[in-house]
């Protein structure tokens, strides 16, 4: 089974402890290896230093006593050295002329002389252990050149290094094991809030109104995660509430004209009617059908806008020219109600928006103004621009609204009581305007001094989208 598959089945706490232990093992191994190499080299350098100091002491003593020629009687007093040190005087051919007493308890050590006139440091096998010998040339008056050999065993160093290796290995294993246990406990403690979040999330499956806990004693990343998730779930709940309200309102608004059509037909079919009465009934059915058709068309338009994906990147268009064209299209309707449309604005107003979307915005704003503006009154349309946006303003002298209700005007199917009584409509026009404008990162706003005092709608479209 692959290692990744095995690790994926372990808990986060165990995986954190394993990764922590592995990381610590690698770091300690590198550190201990460097430490061991440093101690190893240091001990051997100390051994070499001791050999040279011993050799220097012997040379000084021999020179102080006039030297010891190879032919002299073997006197070992001058060759006495520190314990563990073996000193010999060798002839030119490697024969032993004098040796320290320590050689008596050791096996024979063959001489390995270097080139004449040179000194050397050699590591050799002596019996069952290894030793290091220092050879120095030594002259005594007119006698042929001889050699001074100083030897020390390396077994004490090897014993120290062997003991050090074991202690270091045990230290690494014990330290890593202890660290993994402590790391596992810390990971379990650190992930305790995750367990609380998981339990709360499970409860939310049966109780969707719940929230994740955010009080863990400290404000850390998990707190931010829980607060972000709670904000997300609250937005989702709000969206679901809006969708439920939308479905209920849509069903109600469609059911009303259908009920009216059915009632009109039932009444008409109860008994024979005159031609005029049939025409009146059909005319009423046609009005209800047109209302239902308009509502379905607005629903499809709104759904199509909200179903779009991706960020729109259209080229800038002349907003002034597009609005002027839409005003011309509704001029006959305005004339039929004796409503005048005053048109003002700058001639150079460009914004990056799809022409069809801009037509939707303007058409619904003008339609809203024409519905609620009394006969003989005036609608004012103005196009201006600021440093960063193109501003479209549509004002009417209609019924207006209370300022505290301005935020609800753009809700789906929202219609004030006055609007319900004075004009037909499904209540989706301003929702479509808001959906289109916000898609282009713009804003829409409504203002009114109060009921029966007219209203003004502002649409701001960014001139540059970053």
């Amino acid at each position: 089974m692959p290692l990744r598959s095995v690790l994926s089945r372990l808990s986060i706490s165990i995986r954190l402890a394993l990764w922590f232990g592995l990381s610590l093992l690698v770091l300690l191994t590198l550190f201990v290896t460097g430490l061991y190499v440093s101690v190893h080299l240091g001990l051997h350098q100390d051994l070499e230093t001791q050999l040279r100091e011993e050799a220097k002491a012997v040379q000084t003593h021999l020179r102080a006593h006039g030297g010891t020629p190879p032919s002299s009687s073997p006197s070992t007093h001058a060759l006495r050295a520190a314990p563990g040190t073996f000193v010999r005087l060798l002839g030119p051919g490697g024969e032993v002329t004098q040796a320290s007493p320590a050689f008596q308890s050791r096996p024979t050590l063959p001489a390995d002389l270097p080139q004449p006139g040179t000194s050397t440091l050699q590591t050799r096998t002596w019996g069952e252990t290894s030793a290091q010998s220092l050879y120095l040339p030594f002259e005594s008056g007119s006698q042929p050149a001889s050699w001074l050999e100083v030897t020390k065993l390396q077994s004490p160093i090897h014993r120290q290094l062997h003991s050090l290796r074991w202690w270091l290995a045990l230290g690494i294993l014990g330290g890593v094991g202890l660290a993994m246990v402590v790391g596992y406990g810390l990971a379990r403690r650190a992930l305790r809030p995750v367990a609380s979040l998981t339990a709360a999330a499970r409860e939310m499956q049966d109780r969707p109104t719940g929230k994740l806990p955010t009080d863990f004693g400290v404000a850390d990343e998990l707190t931010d995660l829980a607060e972000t998730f709670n904000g997300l779930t609250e937005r989702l709940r709000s969206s679901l509430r809006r969708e439920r309200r939308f479905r209920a309102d849509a069903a109600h608004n469609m059911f009303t004209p259908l009920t009216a059509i059915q009632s009109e037909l039932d009444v008409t079919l109860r008994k024979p009617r005159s031609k005029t009465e049939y025409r009146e009934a059909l005319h009423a059915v046609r009005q209800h059908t047109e209302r239902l058709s308009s509502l379905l068309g607005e629903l499809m338009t709104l759904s199509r806008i909200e179903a779009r994906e991706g960020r729109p990147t259209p080229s800038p268009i002349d907003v002034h020219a597009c609005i002027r064209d839409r005003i011309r299209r509704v001029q006959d309707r305005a004339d039929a109600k004796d409503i005048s449309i005053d048109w003002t604005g700058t001639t150079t107003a460009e914004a990056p928006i799809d022409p069809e979307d801009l037509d939707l915005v303007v058409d619904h704003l003008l339609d809203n103004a024409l519905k609620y503006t009394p006969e003989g009154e005036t609608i004012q349309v103005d196009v201006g621009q600021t440093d960063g946006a193109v501003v479209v303003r549509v004002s009417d002298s209609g019924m207006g609204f209370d300022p505290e209700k301005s935020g609800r005007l753009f809700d789906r199917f929202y219609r004030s009581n006055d609007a319900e009584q004075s004009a037909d409509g499904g209540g989706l026009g301003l929702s479509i305007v808001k959906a289109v404008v916000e898609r282009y990162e713009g804003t829409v706003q409504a203002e009114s001094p109060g009921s029966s005092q007219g209203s003004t709608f502002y649409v701001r479209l960014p001139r540059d989208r970053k």
Side-chain angles (χ1 to χ4, degrees), residues 250-466:
H252 171 75
N253 281 272
M254 287 187 291
F255 184 74
T256 299
L258 286 174
T259 302
I261 291 172
Q262 185 176 3
S263 298
E264 192 71 34
L265 293 174
D266 289 341
V267 172
T268 303
L269 294 174
R270 283 179 185 173
K271 63 180 180 178
R273 305 282 178 175
S274 65
K275 183 177 180 180
T276 301
E277 290 175 331
Y278 279 124
R279 289 181 64 87
E280 291 176 354
L282 291 174
H283 180 70
V285 170
R286 179 180 178 182
Q287 286 183 329
H288 293 307
T289 304
E290 288 177 349
R291 181 179 178 184
L292 180 61
S293 177
S294 175
L295 175 61
L296 290 174
E298 289 181 346
L299 282 172
M300 292 181 63
T301 299
L302 185 59
S303 299
R304 186 168 59 251
I305 293 171
E306 294 181 343
R308 294 176 183 174
E309 296 182 356
R311 180 183 180 187
T313 57
S315 301
I317 63 172
D318 188 349
V319 177
H320 182 278
C322 290
I323 294 179
R324 182 179 57 207
D325 180 65
R326 306 318 292 179
I327 291 176
R328 289 173 180 170
R329 290 176 178 268
V330 299
Q331 191 63 55
D332 291 341
R333 181 180 169 190
D335 293 340
K337 293 184 64 175
D338 193 22
I339 296 174
S340 61
I341 301 178
D342 288 346
W343 162 241
T344 60
T346 59
T347 58
T348 55
E350 293 186 349
I353 184 173
D354 189 276
E356 294 183 359
D357 288 340
L358 181 59
D359 291 345
L360 272 177
V361 171
V362 177
D363 286 348
H364 281 92
L365 290 178
L366 291 175
D367 179 72
N368 187 76
L370 289 170
K371 281 180 181 179
Y372 303 118
T373 300
E375 294 184 3
E377 297 294 339
T378 302
I379 297 174
Q380 295 180 344
V381 180
D382 178 76
V383 178
Q385 63 181 11
T386 62
D387 292 339
V390 172
V391 182
V392 179
R393 179 176 61 86
V394 179
S395 301
D396 62 62
S397 53
M399 65 183 63
F401 54 87
D402 295 332
E404 61 270 14
K405 296 181 179 179
S406 61
R408 295 196 58 193
L409 292 179
F410 300 96
D411 291 346
R412 301 169 180 178
F413 298 110
Y414 174 78
R415 298 178 69 194
S416 64
N417 294 331
D418 294 336
E420 289 281 359
Q421 298 173 3
S422 63
D424 294 333
L428 290 176
L430 294 180
S431 298
I432 293 174
V433 171
K434 182 180 180 182
V436 172
V437 172
E438 289 184 347
R439 176 169 171 77
Y440 291 92
E441 300 178 1
T443 59
V444 59
Q445 181 182 0
E447 294 180 355
S448 176
S451 181
S452 302
Q453 299 185 51
S455 57
T456 302
F457 292 86
Y458 296 91
V459 172
R460 292 176 174 82
L461 296 172
R463 297 173 61 187
D464 297 312
R465 302 187 66 199
K466 298 180 180 180

Side-chain angles (χ1 to χ4, degrees), residues 25 57 64 136 142 159 213 247 250 302 389 403 412 453 455:
L25 177 63
L136 294 175
S142 59
R159 284 194 298 269
R247 291 194 297 268
L302 185 59
R412 301 169 180 178
Q453 299 185 51
S455 57

Side-chain angles (χ1 to χ4, degrees), residues 21 30 32 45 63 154 206 274 284 403:
L30 293 176
V32 167
Q45 289 175 355
R63 288 193 177 98
Q154 291 183 325
D206 301 325
S274 65

